[in-house]
């Protein structure tokens, strides 16, 4: 008879069963977002021509959907970290517009190459975030006030930098940031083989890391998700990934900006779930006083989240300018509303301490699909604003209900 030592992990094994309503109810944020995205996409697919012939899922429209929402997704990742720490940033749209204008001046009027201009713009975005973060973290000025002021300041600076006129066009190499597509290294198949291979590789990596994570949880008896739901969730995600890869492969392949987004999602997803700084950011949002008493430098973390937001807002501004091939005084107007809405719809809590990178991305695409679908159906901008406002309010009310119930 073998005797387990105290150092051996206790194995509780796999939870049995397929669908577990209790588990689903306890993780309604995660499953609800995916279900909502699928339902919304199915609705607009049917309404724009039918389940098989709808406009929404056509390769050209899917590409436009990615290009139209890339800057929102990028800023939503940064905004999520700020919301997790219990703050807000209302200036991201104005910063994106200002940085786009600065990049236009450097490249078009000063003749600077795209790489050098982009590096300067990202650095300036970081400085802007650092100034706002310093006021919030160390001067204890409410983030709402600081970033509201920033929204007004950088909207005015955008007009001053551009002289109230559009500036463009950009060099072709810079336009590739938003308008370019990855090359096909295996042409001749009638579709973009490289895109399809990337989709297969991404699906295989997803399966590998999901299984490894579950096995690690099983060794320590921490597996909660029923195996049937685990398989179903991953099968659905992989099927969606392969379908999108195939549809894009029949057009021009993956846009360059989609690769940028995927890298950012992977990096920030890893940082928030697998690193010490990520866990500390959640601790600050959960209870700042307790986090500070435990030795976490809460001011520095808050400062860094705003610096990060400034850099990502600058990147989004460059991508938006590259897509339009010009910098306009109105660029970035209203972006902050879509970015904040994406985070809350994606499961972030208005009280801080809760939220996931994948959730913010899903929330951004929910907003993007709604915008795209309503535009295809010819719904006016006024009605679109009403609908998006109702969706945002419903998401926050759902968060408050769950919080009070807990």
């Amino acid at each position: 008879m073998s005797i387990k030592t105290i150092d051996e992990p206790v194995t509780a094994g796999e939870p049995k069963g397929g669908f577990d309503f209790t588990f689903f109810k306890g993780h309604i944020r995660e499953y609800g977002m995916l279900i909502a995205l699928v339902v919304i996409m199915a609705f607009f697919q049917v309404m724009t021509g039918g389940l098989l012939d709808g406009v929404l899922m056509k390769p050209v429209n899917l590409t436009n959907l990615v290009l139209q929402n890339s800057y929102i997704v990028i800023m939503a990742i940064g905004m999520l970290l700020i919301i997790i720490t219990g703050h807000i940033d209302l200036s991201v749209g104005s910063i994106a517009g200002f940085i786009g204008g600065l990049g236009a001046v450097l490249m078009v009027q000063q003749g600077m190459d795209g790489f050098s201009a982009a590096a300067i713009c990202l650095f300036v975005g970081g400085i802007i975030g650092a100034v706002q973060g310093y006021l919030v973290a160390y001067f204890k000025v409410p983030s709402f006030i600081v970033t509201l002021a920033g929204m007004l300041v950088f909207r005015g600076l955008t007009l001053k930098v551009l002289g109230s006129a559009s500036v463009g066009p950009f060099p072709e190499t810079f336009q590739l940031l938003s308008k370019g597509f990855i090359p096909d290294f295996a042409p001749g198949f009638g579709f973009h083989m490289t895109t399809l291979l990337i989709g297969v590789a991404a699906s295989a990596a997803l399966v590998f890391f999901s299984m490894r994570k579950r096995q690690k949880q099983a060794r320590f008896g921490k597996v909660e998700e029923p195996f049937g739901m685990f398989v179903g969730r991953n099968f659905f995600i992989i099927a969606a990934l392969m379908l999108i890869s195939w549809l894009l492969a029949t057009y021009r392949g993956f846009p360059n900006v989609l690769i940028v987004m995927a890298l950012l999602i992977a990096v920030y997803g890893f940082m928030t779930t697998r690193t010490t700084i990520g866990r500390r950011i959640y601790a600050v949002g959960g209870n700042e006083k307790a986090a500070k008493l435990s030795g976490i430098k809460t001011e520095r973390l808050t400062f860094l989240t705003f610096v990060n937001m400034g850099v990502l807002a600058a990147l989004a501004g460059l991508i938006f300018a590259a897509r339009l091939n010009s910098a306009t005084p109105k660029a970035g107007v209203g972006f902050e509303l879509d970015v904040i809405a994406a985070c809350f719809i994606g499961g972030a809590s208005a009280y801080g301490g809760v939220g996931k990178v994948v959730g913010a991305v899903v929330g951004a695409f929910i907003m993007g699909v709604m915008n795209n679908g309503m535009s295809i159906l010819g719904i006016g901008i006024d009605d679109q604003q009403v609908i998006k406002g109702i969706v945002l309010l419903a998401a926050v009310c759902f968060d408050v209900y769950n919080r009070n119930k807990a």
Side-chain angles (χ1 to χ4, degrees), residues 202-340:
S203 299
L206 179 63
V207 172
F208 173 76
F209 286 113
S210 295
M211 290 299 298
R212 192 173 73 167
K213 180 180 178 181
R214 187 175 180 87
Q215 289 171 357
K216 185 177 180 180
Q217 292 174 340
R219 285 201 304 268
F220 294 92
K222 294 183 178 180
V223 177
E224 297 178 357
E225 185 178 27
F227 185 73
M229 295 182 68
F230 169 79
V231 172
R233 176 172 59 83
N234 281 278
F235 176 80
F236 167 77
I237 294 173
I238 292 169
L241 179 60
M242 289 306 303
L243 174 61
I244 292 173
S245 298
W246 167 250
L247 291 173
L248 294 179
T250 60
Y251 181 51
R252 299 179 63 185
F254 285 144
N256 291 336
V257 72
L258 182 60
I259 303 300
V260 174
M261 286 167 47
L263 291 175
L264 289 174
I265 293 169
V267 170
Y268 281 88
F270 178 83
M271 186 271 289
T272 53
T273 58
R274 301 294 182 88
T275 66
T276 301
I277 190 172
R279 290 189 289 270
R280 288 178 176 177
I281 288 174
Y282 282 97
V284 170
N287 191 322
E288 184 175 1
K289 291 183 178 179
K292 193 167 187 177
L293 289 173
S294 66
I296 296 175
K297 297 180 179 179
T298 57
E299 291 86 358
R300 186 172 67 178
L301 281 177
T302 300
F303 172 77
L304 290 176
T305 57
F306 276 91
V307 174
N308 175 74
M309 184 73 258
V311 174
L312 291 181
L315 176 60
L318 292 174
I319 290 174
F320 184 72
R323 178 171 176 266
L324 295 181
N325 198 22
S326 67
T328 66
K330 293 294 184 180
V333 173
F335 281 8
E336 60 279 347
L337 302 180
D338 282 343
V339 172
I340 294 171

Side-chain angles (χ1 to χ4, degrees), residues 333-335 337-338 341 367 370-371 374 379-393:
V333 173
F335 281 8
L337 302 180
D338 282 343
M367 295 294 294
M370 289 176 58
N371 289 333
M374 288 189 291
I379 298 175
I381 297 295
D382 48 354
D383 292 328
Q384 290 187 30
Q385 296 296 329
V386 171
I387 294 171
K388 289 193 293 184
I390 293 173
V391 171
L392 173 59
L393 181 61

